[in-house]
Amino acid sequence: MKVLKTALPLLLFFTGACASMNPPTQQLTETETMIRQADQIGAGDYAPLEIRQARQKLEQARVAYNNEDYEEAARLAEQAKVDAELAQIKTLSGKTQLAVRELRESIRLLEEELSNRDDENK
């Protein structure tokens, strides 16, 4: 009886620890959304490696989820989400850099045109 009193709490603790991980359904959904958003803003052009890694990790997370390895599924989904966020940031940065280059070129052309007008008026 004494062994049972000692073993029972340990058994309940370990059983509870294993069962405490809930399926990361919402985390998978959020990651899918993040990847879709990255795709919509052009991550395939500006951050192809990062978006590809995000998709691969999401797929691995789905496999782990289907195998009821929820801890692994959550870990992979989180990594995929970080990769998708990085893809979004790189995409926005790339687009911003392109816009800056275009603005600088427009300014250069305007300055050139103004300079040519000044030369003609002399």
Side-chain angles (χ1 to χ4, degrees):
M1 184 71 171
K2 193 173 186 179
V3 172
L4 185 58
K5 285 183 181 180
T6 305
L8 187 59
L10 288 174
L11 180 63
L12 290 174
F13 171 78
F14 287 116
T15 304
C18 293
S20 67
M21 185 69 188
N22 292 326
T25 307
Q26 182 176 352
Q27 197 171 2
L28 288 170
T29 302
E30 289 171 0
T31 302
E32 290 169 358
T33 301
M34 187 72 68
I35 290 171
R36 194 168 25 260
Q37 289 172 346
D39 281 332
Q40 289 172 349
I41 64 171
D45 295 328
Y46 290 91
L49 176 64
E50 290 79 5
I51 198 65
R52 184 172 47 250
Q53 288 175 335
R55 285 190 195 104
Q56 289 170 345
K57 288 176 185 171
L58 177 60
E59 185 55 37
Q60 292 170 352
R62 287 182 183 135
V63 169
Y65 181 91
N66 290 337
N67 291 332
E68 297 182 9
D69 187 353
Y70 299 138
E71 189 173 330
E72 179 72 0
R75 184 183 66 77
L76 288 164
E78 182 62 30
Q79 288 179 1
K81 187 175 178 183
V82 169
D83 288 340
E85 288 172 345
L86 178 58
Q88 286 183 1
I89 290 167
K90 284 184 77 171
T91 300
L92 294 174
S93 175
K95 286 183 172 190
T96 300
Q97 290 173 8
L98 179 61
V100 167
R101 281 193 301 273
E102 289 173 351
L103 283 171
R104 285 185 178 154
E105 179 62 16
S106 294
I107 290 169
R108 187 191 68 74
L109 291 172
L110 287 171
E111 288 173 340
E112 188 177 297
E113 187 177 319
L114 286 172
S115 176
N116 289 339
R117 284 186 185 175
D118 285 347
D119 290 343
E120 289 175 3
N121 290 334
K122 288 182 182 180

